[in-house]
Amino acid sequence: MDTQHLSAPSARGGVIHDNVPLAESESTRISNGLLRDPRLSFLARGLGGFIQSLPDGTNISIRALTAAAVEGEVRVAAALRELEAAGYLERRRVRLPGGRLVTRTVSRNTARPAEDEDVDPDPDPDPDVDPDPDPDPDPDPGPDPDPDRDVDPDPDTDPDRTPVPEPEPARVTVPPPVRSTRPKPAAEPPVPDNRATRLLRSLSRVDPRLMLSSRDVVRLAPGVQRWFAREMGDEEITGALTACLPVPMTHPAGLLAHRLAHFLPPARFLPPPDPRPAAPRGGIEIHDVPVFMSCDDCDRTFRSSAPGLCERCEAGRADTAA
């Protein structure tokens, strides 16, 4: 029966290993340099140890490793790049006998620089020796059998050669500059100096967002003139135009145009009524209808449009006066 051996506890504390002896097929020998490399993250160290435990020929693509782990493809790919940059992993381009290039991944237990060269997947262990190497050149060649033969003169040193004129460089036609067809922006209209324009330009002192252009001032001035015609003062118009402004305000000129048109107050002073009586309707004259009054002396009721005395009392007073 196997006995577990616990490492002796340290006086300073720390980890205590509780290891069980394993068979050769159940364990993997991994370099401490890989597991303790400070350049690698813990994910890269664990992934490097997992790759070391796999047998040769195992597929270690990103999808295959992701299927065997809880991490996603992004984290697995980042860990592979860490191992490759540290020298524990190398991807080689290998040419197959058919000429197709494939990628072979080499896992190392120690960090080594990558080798930038193609690897032959089926090297020849016993290369053949060239059966017919090039013989040594003759150290003493024989004389020229035909010393009087003509030798082509150098065309650059022959004085009888007719010089060939150099071709003229091709002329490059530069097209005329293309004039822009975009219309020029219209000039700002002149702003007249009157009471309405001065009020509109002073609105930016109340709220800087009400800074208007010259075109907007000219367009809004007639609306302010209509407010002046209703006997409205400068302070009253300014208060009506700047009260409760929205936040944010994207189009101040449009907001002012809306308020000038829809917030126009009624006239304060109505014109005096026409003293002339209204014309009768349909040719029918309207007469005053008498009402019943009480006599001031005898208290009798009589028809009259004004208070006073009845006919009998008036006649009696006339007789008395006579």
Side-chain angles (χ1 to χ4, degrees):
M1 181 176 178
D2 295 337
T3 304
Q4 299 183 7
H5 301 281
L6 300 177
S7 59
S10 174
R12 296 177 299 176
V15 65
I16 299 177
H17 297 283
D18 184 5
N19 298 330
V20 176
L22 301 175
E24 187 69 21
S25 60
E26 299 177 351
S27 61
T28 302
R29 308 185 72 178
I30 303 176
S31 170
N32 288 336
L34 170 61
L35 298 179
R36 301 175 185 177
D37 195 331
R39 299 173 299 174
L40 301 177
S41 63
F42 284 107
L43 176 61
R45 299 179 194 182
L47 183 59
F50 174 74
I51 294 175
Q52 284 284 309
S53 67
L54 299 175
D56 293 344
T58 304
N59 181 16
I60 58 169
S61 63
I62 296 178
R63 291 186 178 180
L65 294 175
T66 304
V70 296
E71 289 80 9
E73 294 185 0
V74 176
R75 298 190 63 188
V76 171
L80 290 176
R81 287 193 295 268
E82 290 185 38
L83 293 172
E84 187 174 2
Y88 295 100
L89 205 65
E90 180 185 355
R91 293 184 175 92
R92 297 180 179 179
R93 300 286 292 173
V94 179
R95 188 178 301 276
L96 299 179
R100 187 166 62 92
L101 288 175
V102 296
T103 302
R104 291 286 185 263
T105 304
V106 179
S107 175
R108 301 191 180 100
N109 57 358
T110 57
R112 282 179 286 174
E115 300 176 3
D116 298 333
E117 60 180 4
D118 291 344
V119 179
D120 188 1
D122 189 13
D124 190 357
D126 188 13
D128 296 334
V129 182
D130 190 0
D132 188 13
D134 294 337
D136 295 337
D138 189 0
D140 188 13
D144 190 357
D146 189 5
D148 297 334
R149 65 177 179 174
D150 296 334
V151 180
D152 295 336
D154 189 359
D156 296 334
T157 60
D158 187 4
D160 298 334
R161 185 175 64 89
T162 303
V164 179
E166 296 182 359
E168 296 182 0
R171 296 182 180 180
V172 179
T173 304
V174 179
V178 180
R179 296 183 179 180
S180 177
T181 58
R182 297 176 58 184
K184 296 182 179 180
E188 291 289 336
V191 180
D193 187 12
N194 52 42
R195 184 182 178 188
T197 57
R198 287 194 296 268
L199 185 143
L200 291 171
R201 285 181 293 183
S202 66
L203 295 179
S204 59
R205 301 176 184 175
V206 181
D207 194 324
R209 296 178 298 171
L210 297 178
M211 180 67 67
L212 303 175
S213 64
S214 300
R215 191 180 305 276
D216 292 334
V217 171
V218 174
R219 181 170 59 90
L220 297 176
V224 180
Q225 295 288 356
R226 287 192 292 269
W227 283 60
F228 287 148
R230 299 291 178 94
E231 301 295 333
M232 298 292 294
D234 293 1
E235 295 182 359
E236 295 172 325
I237 299 176
T238 302
L241 296 180
T242 59
C244 301
L245 293 176
V247 178
M249 183 169 51
T250 58
H251 192 11
L255 174 66
L256 295 178
H258 174 78
R259 292 192 173 187
L260 287 173
H262 294 81
F263 293 179
L264 184 65
R268 289 183 174 180
F269 304 100
L270 297 178
D274 192 356
R276 295 175 299 176
R281 298 179 182 179
I284 301 176
E285 296 184 2
I286 301 177
H287 302 277
D288 293 336
V289 177
V291 294
F292 291 97
M293 295 293 178
S294 296
C295 180
D296 294 339
D297 289 346
C298 64
D299 204 19
R300 292 180 59 186
T301 302
F302 64 96
R303 290 179 178 272
S304 176
S305 58
L309 301 175
C310 62
E311 294 179 358
R312 182 180 299 179
C313 293
E314 286 182 356
R317 285 190 178 187
D319 294 341
T320 302

